[in-house]
Amino acid sequence: MRNLIGTAALALLLAGGAGAATAAGPEALSSPSLPSPSLPAPSPAAPSQPAAPAPSAGPAVPDGVPGYGAGRLVRAQVVSRDATQLASPMAGRVVSMSVRDGETFEKGQELLSFDCALAEGQLGKARTVAEKTRTVLAAKQRLEKLGSVSPLELAVSEAEAKEAQADVRLMEVTVGRCRVLAPYAGRVAGVQVRTWQYVGEGQPLLDIVDHKVLEVEMIVPSRWLGWLGTGYRFDVQIDETGKRYTAEVVRLSGKVDAASQSIKVYASIVGPSTDLLPGMSGRALLDHAS
């Protein structure tokens, strides 16, 4: 009886162990750990296609110029029709200047003068010599009528009188160069010398411009010549004043630039333009459709 009970208990223990092993799965039953088979690597993802560009909205319209496409706007500059740099006609010391930078002047007004005492003294001497030769010539002409002077003496006196008169004209020109006069009415745009400064011949003195007759200068594509010509009117908006002015094409350049296929165009300001100065710039508003 005791052996029978022991045998039954052993059977129950063996049955419980087997159930636990079964619940743990096949890995618990296998003694050595075997490597799991390797899986193939995932294939690389296909490169993403670039996004399609957004459709262009066309040329932007500049601020403050509604209704004008970018292709109808060109840069323009205000220039003076008459502008020059006055250079010193002689070597000497500046003794007076009647104008300063920015001041206006009239045609023929004295702008600057040099110390001319030496030249004026030489002019006085030349006039005295000329007067003496004329007196001698007049006396010999009277003697020639009396037959007391040879033709050679009379010819020499006439030549001396002409030479003396030529010296007078030469010194008058020299004295005239001591004063720099305005070739036209305008405004001083720059001063390169000061009073009592010694300058050499040809040295720059003053920059002057005719501020009353102004033009608009611009460079446009040469293909515009089919509709752009003399008499064409347009607006030009100046950056410095913020205003618009009416301009009219008065002439075109004599040639087209072969490299850039462009041409220079000149236009005059129509109407009041007293607030404009040479050198100002802006945009020419060219509307072919109008």
Side-chain angles (χ1 to χ4, degrees):
M1 185 66 179
R2 188 177 299 172
N3 292 336
L4 181 61
I5 294 173
T7 301
L10 179 60
L12 290 173
L13 289 173
L14 291 174
T22 303
E27 293 81 358
L29 297 177
S30 61
S31 54
S33 60
L34 299 178
S36 60
S38 60
L39 298 177
S43 60
S48 59
Q49 298 295 330
S56 174
V61 178
D63 296 338
V65 191
Y68 287 88
R72 290 177 289 172
L73 296 177
V74 295
R75 294 298 301 177
Q77 184 176 7
V78 179
V79 297
S80 175
R81 190 177 65 181
D82 292 319
T84 188
Q85 184 180 74
L86 299 178
S88 176
M90 60 178 294
R93 189 179 304 278
V94 178
V95 294
S96 68
M97 295 183 63
S98 61
V99 292
R100 294 176 295 179
D101 188 15
E103 293 183 342
T104 60
F105 52 83
E106 298 299 326
K107 181 178 180 179
Q109 178 180 335
E110 180 184 306
L111 305 178
L112 179 147
S113 65
F114 294 90
D115 179 9
C116 216
L118 178 60
E120 290 173 348
Q122 292 174 337
L123 175 58
K125 179 181 178 180
R127 285 173 173 169
T128 301
V129 173
E131 180 64 26
K132 182 180 70 173
T133 57
R134 283 196 300 267
T135 303
V136 173
L137 176 60
K140 289 188 177 181
Q141 286 174 342
R142 290 193 298 268
L143 292 175
E144 191 270 337
K145 293 179 181 180
L146 300 174
S148 301
V149 175
S150 66
L152 178 59
E153 291 183 57
L154 182 61
V156 170
S157 295
E158 290 175 348
E160 290 176 347
K162 291 180 181 179
E163 181 182 8
Q165 189 60 37
D167 290 340
V168 171
R169 288 196 296 268
L170 177 62
M171 293 312 304
E172 287 176 344
V173 171
T174 302
V175 171
R177 297 168 66 184
C178 295
R179 301 169 64 238
V180 178
L181 307 181
Y184 49 77
R187 173 179 290 178
V188 180
V191 179
Q192 283 75 38
V193 296
R194 295 291 183 267
T195 307
W196 305 113
Q197 178 180 346
Y198 186 90
V199 298
E201 184 175 356
Q203 182 174 336
L205 300 175
L206 301 170
D207 294 324
I208 60 173
V209 297
D210 184 353
H211 64 292
K212 296 181 180 179
V213 183
L214 300 176
E215 291 183 340
V216 175
E217 182 180 300
M218 55 188 177
I219 298 177
V220 304
S222 57
R223 63 178 181 273
W224 288 8
L225 293 179
W227 54 269
L228 180 63
T230 56
Y232 179 87
R233 288 199 173 191
F234 60 94
D235 287 344
V236 57
Q237 183 168 306
I238 302 301
D239 297 339
E240 285 81 0
T241 63
K243 299 179 182 179
R244 286 193 186 185
Y245 306 83
T246 301
E248 181 177 332
V249 177
V250 292
R251 67 184 187 279
L252 306 174
S253 177
K255 68 175 183 178
V256 172
D257 185 79
S260 62
Q261 290 296 298
S262 61
I263 188 170
K264 188 172 289 188
V265 179
Y266 302 89
S268 61
I269 301 294
V270 179
S273 58
T274 55
D275 54 346
L276 293 180
L277 292 175
M280 291 183 175
S281 62
R283 293 172 289 184
L285 316 177
L286 302 169
D287 187 2
H288 175 38
S290 64

